[in-house]
């Protein structure tokens, strides 16, 4: 065992890379949940985004087009969930599970010809000056643009929810859909848009894994990241900045356990690989003491028929 | 414009018709999917649903129906109890793995003693293993209010890692020339769940039928079953009626875990034979579809389990005869749940044509 082989600067830089897909998926789910919809299909949308992005990037040679395709793929899949829960008034938990099972099947079907294929490399522009800062430069300022996109997305969601009228309406729909409906807001329309935003973000997060973090395609490669993203929203008490903090924490755990595996710590690999999931459970236990911040209409169906 | 009007009571007729409608819609959509993959859709649907039962080689496939159906029915019966009460255990896959590990562990510990009591002990260990694994989300939910959906699912990944660790370490066959995986329990007469391999009958099939009967009696003739149904249909009324939610959570999750553990044990001691890294085949997740397709009703689950087993077997046949990718079958099963949830709206709502009015 050789712990000195772990470079703290590289560790922190890879922490950010590991946290980005989580952050993307979780921030999308946060918006969905703030609108009062519990979409448990994050895992399915992520893996669909992962393969859509991968396939398009390989076929067009453009990773940026791939990311775009991933976002569209995730949004289209989430539209199925929207139809199910908003128009067919199906149970949200069951529909979310259906979405995950469907997404896993769909992705492995699309991904058949792509195993072992190498995707086009993602451009990684070094930001001049900033990336030359010692320590901070390589950690924060030498990533691909998706990392910064995720950061600004979080910033945007936070500002939108806190300061904009649209954010206020979204929260109103999530807190009390009957009141929002009585005020004349289109509850279903707003929720469908929120679901699609969540789907697009999850798709983007999935593609980040298959195109940049790994980068290759294997079946079921998101391996629970979507579910961890769901837990992250609970952890964050539905607050954008805390989602970022949580993503950093979980990214850190998964990177650290990979590094410990590589450094040959005496703990068997399987037990290290369990750690992100166990820590998710632990965090859920700690955070679930306070449930008061959950949107009041979360998971409840809305039917304006009366 | 189409408008949904809530029915005063769920429609009886549609309750029975929606699963059939969902299957038919899935066949149509699946046929379109297969056509896109360049296969003859009619041929593919016939291969999946007809050939395993009535083709000239059906004598070979029919036993498989029991083998594939038994774990699905066992797990789905357990899940349905919780689903009815609004308790969402979706980590049956993990409980299935742990049940198999515990049961096989007990069996392997006795190797090579031959005695009548070994298999019953394995059954108990399997059920207890699954039960204990399900107790983790149950106790966390009861004690801390933690979301059981996320915890039970996280534990699937933990169980998968444990399975890998066990088949590479503790339970590895010492005479296996270094290959991962345990001794084959099919070569160990006392730890074997087969009753008659030629017709696909093993103790898991028997347990599946017993579970169906017990669940039916529980839900229709027993106070606990009434409480489960009441909690699901009218949580507020249940609380006034004095239903203890803590007890219900522990019982529902515990029963689901024990049944999933049993399914895992019977599988590892019979059809699968050994603990190996890829021992779990996703039954725990497919059972969710089975539970919903069976309308959370024991008899319905039995039928749905048989149908789902059929798609597994037919899928295998279609894979070898027509080159249909196995992922297509997985997608096909996912589609079934989608259509089911969609057409379910007809049970609770009427579709009416109405004039568009100002909101």
């Amino acid at each position: 065992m050789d712990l000195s082989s772990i470079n703290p600067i590289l560790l922190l830089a890879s922490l950010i890379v590991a946290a980005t897909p989580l952050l993307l998926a979780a921030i999308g789910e946060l918006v969905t949940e703030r609108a009062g919809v519990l979409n448990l299909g994050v895992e399915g949308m992520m893996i669909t985004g992962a393969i859509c992005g991968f396939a398009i990037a390989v076929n067009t040679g453009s990773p940026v087009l791939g990311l775009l395709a991933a976002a569209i793929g995730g949004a289209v899949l989430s539209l199925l969930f929207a139809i199910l829960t908003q128009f067919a008034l199906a149970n949200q938990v069951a529909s979310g599970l259906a979405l995950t099972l469907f997404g896993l099947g769909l992705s492995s079907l699309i991904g058949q010809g792509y195993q072992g294929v190498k995707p086009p490399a993602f451009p990684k522009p070094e930001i001049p000056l900033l990336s030359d800062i010692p320590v901070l430069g390589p950690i924060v300022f030498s990533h691909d643009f998706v990392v910064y996109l995720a950061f600004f997305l979080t910033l945007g969601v936070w500002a939108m929810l806190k300061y904009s009228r649209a954010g206020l309406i979204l929260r109103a729909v999530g807190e009390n859909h009957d009141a929002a409906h009585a005020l004349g807001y289109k509850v279903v329309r707003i929720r469908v848009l929120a679901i699609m935003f969540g789907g697009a973000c999850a798709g983007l997060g999935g593609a980040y894994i298959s195109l940049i973090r790994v980068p290759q395609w294997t079946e079921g490669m998101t391996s629970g990241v979507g579910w961890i993203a769901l837990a992250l929203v609970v952890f964050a008490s539905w607050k954008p900045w805390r989602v970022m903090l949580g993503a950093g924490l979980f990214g850190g755990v998964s990177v650290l356990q990979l590094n410990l595996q590589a450094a040959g710590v005496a703990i068997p690999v399987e037990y290290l690989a369990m750690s992100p999931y166990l820590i998710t459970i632990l965090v859920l236990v700690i955070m679930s003491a306070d449930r008061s911040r959950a949107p009041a209409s979360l998971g409840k169906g809305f039917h304006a028929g009366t | 414009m189409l408008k949904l009007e809530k029915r005063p009571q769920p429609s009886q007729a549609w309750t029975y018709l929606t699963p059939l409608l969902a299957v038919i819609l899935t066949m149509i959509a699946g046929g379109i999917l297969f056509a896109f993959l360049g296969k003859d859709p009619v041929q593919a649907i016939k291969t999946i649903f007809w050939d395993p039962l009535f083709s000239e080689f059906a004598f070979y496939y029919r036993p498989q129906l029991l083998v594939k159906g038994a774990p699905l029915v066992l797990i789905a019966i357990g899940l349905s109890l919780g689903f009815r009460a609004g308790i969402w255990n979706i980590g049956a896959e993990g409980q299935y793995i742990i049940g198999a590990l515990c049961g096989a562990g007990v069996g392997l510990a006795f190797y090579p003693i031959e005695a009548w009591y070994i298999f019953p002990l394995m059954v108990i260990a399997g059920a207890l293993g699954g039960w204990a694994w399900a107790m983790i989300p149950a106790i966390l939910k009861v004690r801390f209010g933690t979301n059981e959906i996320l915890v039970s699912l996280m534990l699937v990944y933990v169980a998968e890692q444990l399975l890998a660790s066990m088949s590479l370490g503790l339970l590895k066959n010492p005479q296996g020339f270094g290959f991962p995986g345990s001794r084959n329990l099919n070569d160990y007469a006392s730890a074997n769940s087969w009753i008659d391999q030629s017709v696909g009958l093993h103790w898991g099939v028997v347990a599946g039928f017993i579970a169906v009967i017990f669940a039916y009696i529980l839900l229709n003739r027993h106070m606990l079953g009434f409480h489960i149904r009441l909690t699901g249909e009218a949580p507020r009324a249940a609380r006034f009626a004095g239903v203890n939610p803590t007890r219900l959570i522990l019982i529902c999750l515990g029963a689901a875990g024990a049944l999933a553990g049993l399914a895992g044990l019977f599988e590892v001691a019979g059809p699968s034979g050994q603990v190996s890294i890829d021992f779990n085949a996703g039954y725990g997740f497919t059972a969710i579809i089975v539970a919903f397709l069976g309308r959370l009703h024991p008899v319905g689950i039995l039928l749905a389990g048989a149908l789902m087993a059929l798609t597994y077997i037919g899928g295998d046949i279609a894979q070898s005869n027509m080159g249909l990718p196995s992922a297509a079958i997985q997608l096909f099963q996912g589609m079934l749940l989608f259509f089911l949830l969609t057409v379910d709206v007809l049970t609770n709502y009427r579709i009416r044509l109405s004039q568009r009015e100002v909101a």
Side-chain angles (χ1 to χ4, degrees):
Chain A
M1 165 171 140
D2 183 18
L3 284 180
S4 62
S5 67
I6 298 175
N7 178 341
I9 293 178
L10 279 180
L11 185 76
L12 286 173
S14 54
L15 178 153
I16 291 181
V17 171
T20 302
L22 262 176
L23 179 61
L24 281 167
I27 206 74
E29 178 66 15
L30 181 130
V31 170
T32 312
E33 290 195 15
R34 283 302 277 269
V37 182
L38 180 66
N39 185 354
L40 291 180
V42 183
E43 179 81 7
M45 301 185 297
M46 276 189 99
I47 193 93
T48 306
I51 187 57
C52 286
F54 194 88
I56 297 295
V58 167
N59 286 328
T60 62
S62 157
V64 179
L65 272 182
L67 284 176
L68 200 66
I72 295 171
V76 168
L77 194 67
S78 72
L79 200 58
L80 282 178
F81 176 84
I83 292 168
L84 232 60
T85 57
Q86 303 306 308
F87 298 107
L89 303 166
N91 179 304
Q92 294 185 5
V93 174
S95 308
L97 290 176
L99 196 68
T100 293
L101 293 174
F102 184 79
L104 287 172
L106 183 67
S107 66
S108 54
L109 185 63
I110 302 175
Q112 293 219 310
Y114 292 99
Q115 255 156 11
V117 178
K118 222 176 129 49
F122 207 82
K124 204 163 148 184
E126 301 255 309
I127 303 170
L129 294 178
L130 285 175
S131 61
D132 297 331
I133 305 171
V135 184
L136 205 60
I139 295 176
V140 183
F141 296 111
S142 54
H143 293 289
D144 47 86
F145 79 91
V146 186
V147 170
Y148 309 113
L149 175 75
F151 175 81
F152 286 110
L153 202 62
T154 314
L155 185 77
V157 165
W158 167 76
M160 198 272 286
L161 286 174
K162 199 169 164 77
Y163 296 113
S164 80
R165 183 158 182 81
L168 184 68
I169 296 169
L170 185 95
R171 282 187 288 141
V173 167
E175 292 297 336
N176 189 337
H177 48 219
D178 290 322
H181 175 69
L183 286 171
Y185 295 122
K186 306 281 185 208
V187 174
V188 170
R189 191 177 303 165
I190 291 164
R191 285 191 167 164
V192 169
L193 289 175
I195 291 167
M196 287 180 73
F197 177 77
C201 286
L204 214 53
Y208 189 83
I209 297 178
S210 66
L211 283 177
I212 301 167
R213 192 178 167 203
V214 174
Q216 57 166 340
W217 166 253
T218 44
E219 255 178 53
M221 67 181 306
T222 46
S223 61
V225 172
W227 293 101
I228 294 181
L230 274 162
L232 209 57
V233 178
V234 181
F235 164 81
S237 309
W238 292 268
K239 287 190 170 65
W241 289 118
R242 285 170 65 170
V243 164
M244 194 134 100
L245 184 78
L249 178 75
F250 283 104
V253 171
S254 55
V255 166
L256 191 65
Q257 63 95 359
L258 285 175
N259 273 279
L260 288 176
Q261 280 182 24
V265 177
I267 310 167
V269 175
E270 291 84 14
Y271 293 90
L272 282 171
M274 276 176 204
S275 57
Y277 308 111
L278 289 175
I279 287 175
T280 307
I281 295 176
L282 189 73
V283 163
L284 276 174
V285 169
I286 296 168
M287 292 312 294
S288 49
D290 175 23
R291 293 201 57 82
S292 56
R293 289 198 191 84
S297 295
L298 185 60
K300 294 193 183 112
F302 173 72
H303 179 229
T306 46
Chain B
M1 190 195 164
L2 289 176
K3 195 173 170 227
L4 292 176
E5 186 183 279
K6 197 165 173 60
R7 294 177 193 270
Q9 269 160 358
S11 155
Q12 275 281 306
W14 277 115
T15 310
Y16 295 110
L17 284 176
T18 45
L20 286 177
L21 187 60
V23 171
I24 293 167
L25 285 173
T26 311
M27 283 185 185
I28 296 169
I32 296 170
L33 171 78
F34 299 148
F36 266 107
L37 292 170
K39 315 287 174 199
D40 178 8
V42 179
Q43 178 69 31
I45 296 290
K46 181 179 164 285
T47 308
I48 294 172
F49 289 98
W50 183 266
D51 284 2
L53 293 177
F54 305 109
S55 73
E56 82 186 278
F57 299 109
F59 66 91
Y60 174 73
Y61 299 122
R62 275 187 215 130
Q64 286 292 312
L65 206 60
L66 290 177
V67 171
K68 304 268 186 206
L72 289 175
V73 170
L74 262 177
I75 301 171
I77 288 282
L79 293 180
S80 70
L81 297 179
F83 288 177
R84 270 185 178 242
I87 300 161
W88 299 95
N89 170 19
I90 57 169
E93 186 80 359
Q95 294 140 21
Y96 172 85
I97 293 173
I98 299 297
L101 283 180
C102 289
V106 167
L108 291 168
F110 280 105
Y111 185 85
I113 306 166
E114 299 281 354
W116 63 268
Y117 54 82
I118 294 176
F119 189 65
L121 279 179
M122 288 168 67
V123 172
I124 294 168
L128 277 180
W131 174 82
W133 205 246
M135 272 299 115
I136 302 172
I139 290 172
L140 291 180
K141 183 176 176 68
V142 167
R143 180 74 187 74
F144 302 103
T146 313
N147 184 321
E148 80 280 13
I149 303 175
L150 293 173
V151 174
S152 62
L153 195 100
M154 287 293 135
L155 286 172
V156 174
Y157 293 101
V158 176
E160 278 176 352
Q161 294 297 334
L162 259 179
L163 176 70
S165 158
M166 288 297 158
S167 51
L168 294 170
L170 194 60
L171 297 182
K172 194 164 106 173
N173 184 356
Q175 289 151 352
F177 307 105
F179 285 105
S182 72
R183 279 181 206 281
N184 198 321
L185 292 170
N186 281 329
D187 305 332
Y188 181 19
S190 297
N192 201 312
S193 68
W194 287 111
I195 298 172
D196 185 349
Q197 197 163 353
S198 61
V199 292
L201 191 64
H202 63 84
W203 283 108
V205 179
V206 178
F209 280 111
I210 295 174
V212 169
I213 294 165
F214 262 87
Y216 185 83
I217 295 170
L218 177 78
L219 288 170
N220 289 297
R221 291 280 178 273
H222 197 276
M223 197 61 185
L224 178 67
F226 175 69
H227 282 170
I228 290 174
R229 278 167 34 212
L230 187 63
T231 308
E233 280 158 30
R236 233 170 95 78
R239 227 168 308 144
F240 284 125
V243 176
N244 181 348
T246 303
R247 195 169 141 249
L248 214 58
I249 291 168
L250 291 175
I251 289 175
C252 286
L253 274 168
L259 285 173
L262 278 178
L265 161 87
F266 290 127
E267 187 73 14
V268 79
S272 158
Q274 60 171 168
V275 174
S276 58
I277 296 179
D278 50 359
F279 159 71
N280 59 320
Y283 285 137
F285 293 114
T286 313
I288 297 174
I289 307 177
V290 171
F292 279 112
L293 187 64
R295 307 237 50 134
L296 307 180
H297 186 284
V299 179
I301 287 172
L302 191 64
L303 297 173
L307 184 79
M308 216 44 134
L310 200 62
T311 64
Y312 267 114
I313 303 160
D316 281 347
I317 303 173
Q319 197 180 350
S320 54
N321 289 2
M322 305 178 64
L324 197 69
S326 64
I329 296 303
Q330 207 186 336
L331 189 62
F332 191 76
Q333 293 173 342
M335 253 193 243
L336 188 53
L337 185 51
F338 255 128
F339 280 117
L340 185 73
L341 291 166
T342 313
V343 293
D344 217 18
V345 71
L346 298 171
T347 312
N348 291 311
Y349 294 87
R350 255 187 215 108
I351 295 179
R352 282 276 162 88
L353 282 170
S354 74
Q355 301 254 297
R356 198 179 178 103
E357 46 196 308
V358 179

